[in-house]
Amino acid sequence: MKPSGLGSVDPGFAATVEGRLDSIEQRLLTASEADTRLVTEAAQHIISAGGKRFRPMLVVLCAHLADAEGAAVDADRLEKAALVVELTHVASLYHDDVMDDADLRRGAVAANRRWQNSVAILVGDYLFARASDTVAELGTDYVQIQARTFARLVQGQIAETVGPVPDADPIAHHLQVIADKTGSLIATSAVFGGMVAGFDEETLEVLRDFGEEIGLVFQLHDDIIDITSDVTGKTPGTDLREGIPTLPTLLARAMDRPEDERLFALVDSDLESEEDLAEAVRLLREHPAIEEARTEVRRRADAARARLQVLPAGPAREALEALCDHVINRDD
């Protein structure tokens, strides 16, 4: 798998990362095999549809920071750590699609549409079980981090589902939801890579902070491209139609401009009409909240990059720095 977002890092290092991701991809398919054809097909449905594999790549890059210190990386443990985070991520997508009543996932029919909600939920549970089985082979310290990460994922989903309590800041609530639902697993990806590399707790804390911040950047940029991009594999404004709060809509509401009356009349409707959805997307694309959201995302990307400066210099750190630019410039 050709890694995206690595910029102009050393070609030899990029080839190493690509080879590692290819191996992880094959192990993902193997890990999602089951005793019956139906479960195997359903469990491999989202995996086979592709994906950025951002979390496995982060495990690989953080582990290879050890190259700068002349340390060898255990390939099997590295790939198992990457499997754990991606299986966990994919499992959560099955549950998300049921809760969101999604039609598409990565350009393909969502599992809840192809089969049914109960099958999609149980397949997600199956993949969580496969992740748990794999993490147990790495040791109890990995198991504890995985369990705590899973707890944050669930709490983030619940918080998103019930919304902010009365008088709470909706933007702060949204950022906490993202930190729990997205930042937590991306932070764990970075930490797992550092653990495979044998780094001390101080370095792991740096990686954890970096992962949490870049996870927020990743999801907040998704908030923006839900409105601005036509190449995501989803209809622009999908989050709007599903009633999911995003940074641009929350910032636009906070501006409280009289001229936005039509925009929020649309946003607060069911947006079942394609014409209404297209109009809402157009109005948001023209709204100053989009640029304000981009400014916030760039600020956080710079903060993530700054955290890397204490890590060992070399191709792996350069690749992590390049990711800080890639996550805010992608359009899918």
Side-chain angles (χ1 to χ4, degrees), residues 14 19 49 67-68 88 132 159 163 182-183 197 214 223 226 257 274-275 313:
D67 294 352
T88 301
S132 297
T182 302
I214 203 66
D223 280 5
D226 175 67
R257 306 188 316 168
E274 294 299 329
E275 292 77 14

Side-chain angles (χ1 to χ4, degrees), residues 154-188:
V154 173
Q155 290 180 93
Q157 184 62 67
I158 293 170
E160 181 179 72
T161 301
V162 302
V165 299
D167 300 324
D169 179 355
I171 295 177
H173 177 269
H174 182 59
L175 292 175
Q176 187 59 55
V177 165
I178 289 176
D180 288 337
K181 281 191 62 178
T182 302
S184 63
L185 187 56
I186 291 178
T188 292

Side-chain angles (χ1 to χ4, degrees), residues 105-175:
R105 168 65 66 181
R106 295 175 177 171
V109 177
N112 52 297
R113 288 282 182 262
R114 180 165 177 178
W115 290 280
Q116 54 184 298
N117 282 349
S118 57
V119 170
I121 290 169
L122 290 168
V123 167
D125 292 345
Y126 174 72
L127 291 173
F128 278 127
R130 298 297 294 133
S132 297
D133 185 43
T134 303
V135 77
E137 298 178 25
L138 293 171
T140 56
D141 46 352
Y142 288 83
V143 171
Q144 184 180 64
I145 292 171
Q146 171 70 0
R148 290 176 176 176
T149 302
F150 187 37
R152 286 189 65 189
L153 290 172
V154 173
Q155 290 180 93
Q157 184 62 67
I158 293 170
E160 181 179 72
T161 301
V162 302
V165 299
D167 300 324
D169 179 355
I171 295 177
H173 177 269
H174 182 59
L175 292 175

Side-chain angles (χ1 to χ4, degrees), residues 247-268:
L247 186 61
T249 57
L250 292 169
L251 289 172
R253 284 189 191 276
M255 291 180 184
D256 195 23
R257 306 188 316 168
E259 58 265 44
D260 292 335
E261 181 179 352
R262 173 59 179 167
L263 168 62
F264 286 107
L266 289 167
V267 170
D268 293 335

Side-chain angles (χ1 to χ4, degrees), residues 49-251:
K52 303 174 186 68
R53 303 293 186 252
F54 186 80
R55 293 155 189 81
M57 182 166 66
L58 202 55
V59 176
V60 173
L61 294 180
C62 290
H64 278 284
L65 287 166
D67 294 352
E69 299 179 347
V73 175
D74 185 312
D76 183 59
R77 291 180 65 80
L78 169 56
E79 293 182 8
K80 284 178 178 175
L83 277 176
V84 171
V85 295
E86 189 65 8
L87 286 170
T88 301
H89 172 57
V90 173
S92 73
L93 298 181
Y94 282 87
H95 289 181
D96 282 354
D97 285 348
V98 170
M99 297 192 70
D100 297 340
D101 197 26
D103 294 318
L104 295 175
R105 168 65 66 181
R106 295 175 177 171
V109 177
N112 52 297
R113 288 282 182 262
R114 180 165 177 178
W115 290 280
Q116 54 184 298
N117 282 349
S118 57
V119 170
I121 290 169
L122 290 168
V123 167
D125 292 345
Y126 174 72
L127 291 173
F128 278 127
R130 298 297 294 133
S132 297
D133 185 43
T134 303
V135 77
E137 298 178 25
L138 293 171
T140 56
D141 46 352
Y142 288 83
V143 171
Q144 184 180 64
I145 292 171
Q146 171 70 0
R148 290 176 176 176
T149 302
F150 187 37
R152 286 189 65 189
L153 290 172
V154 173
Q155 290 180 93
Q157 184 62 67
I158 293 170
E160 181 179 72
T161 301
V162 302
V165 299
D167 300 324
D169 179 355
I171 295 177
H173 177 269
H174 182 59
L175 292 175
Q176 187 59 55
V177 165
I178 289 176
D180 288 337
K181 281 191 62 178
T182 302
S184 63
L185 187 56
I186 291 178
T188 292
S189 302
V191 170
F192 274 9
M195 290 170 68
V196 169
F199 288 130
D200 59 27
E201 187 56 43
E202 183 178 355
T203 303
L204 294 181
E205 192 61 32
V206 171
L207 292 173
R208 184 178 293 108
D209 290 346
F210 167 76
E212 186 99 11
E213 193 70 71
I214 203 66
L216 280 165
V217 171
F218 190 93
Q219 186 57 52
L220 289 174
H221 186 66
D222 272 2
D223 280 5
I224 296 170
I225 63 178
D226 175 67
I227 302 300
T228 62
S229 177
D230 295 305
V231 296
T232 62
K234 297 192 300 182
T235 301
T238 294
D239 288 344
L240 283 180
R241 173 172 277 168
E242 294 173 355
I244 299 172
T246 62
L247 186 61
T249 57
L250 292 169
L251 289 172

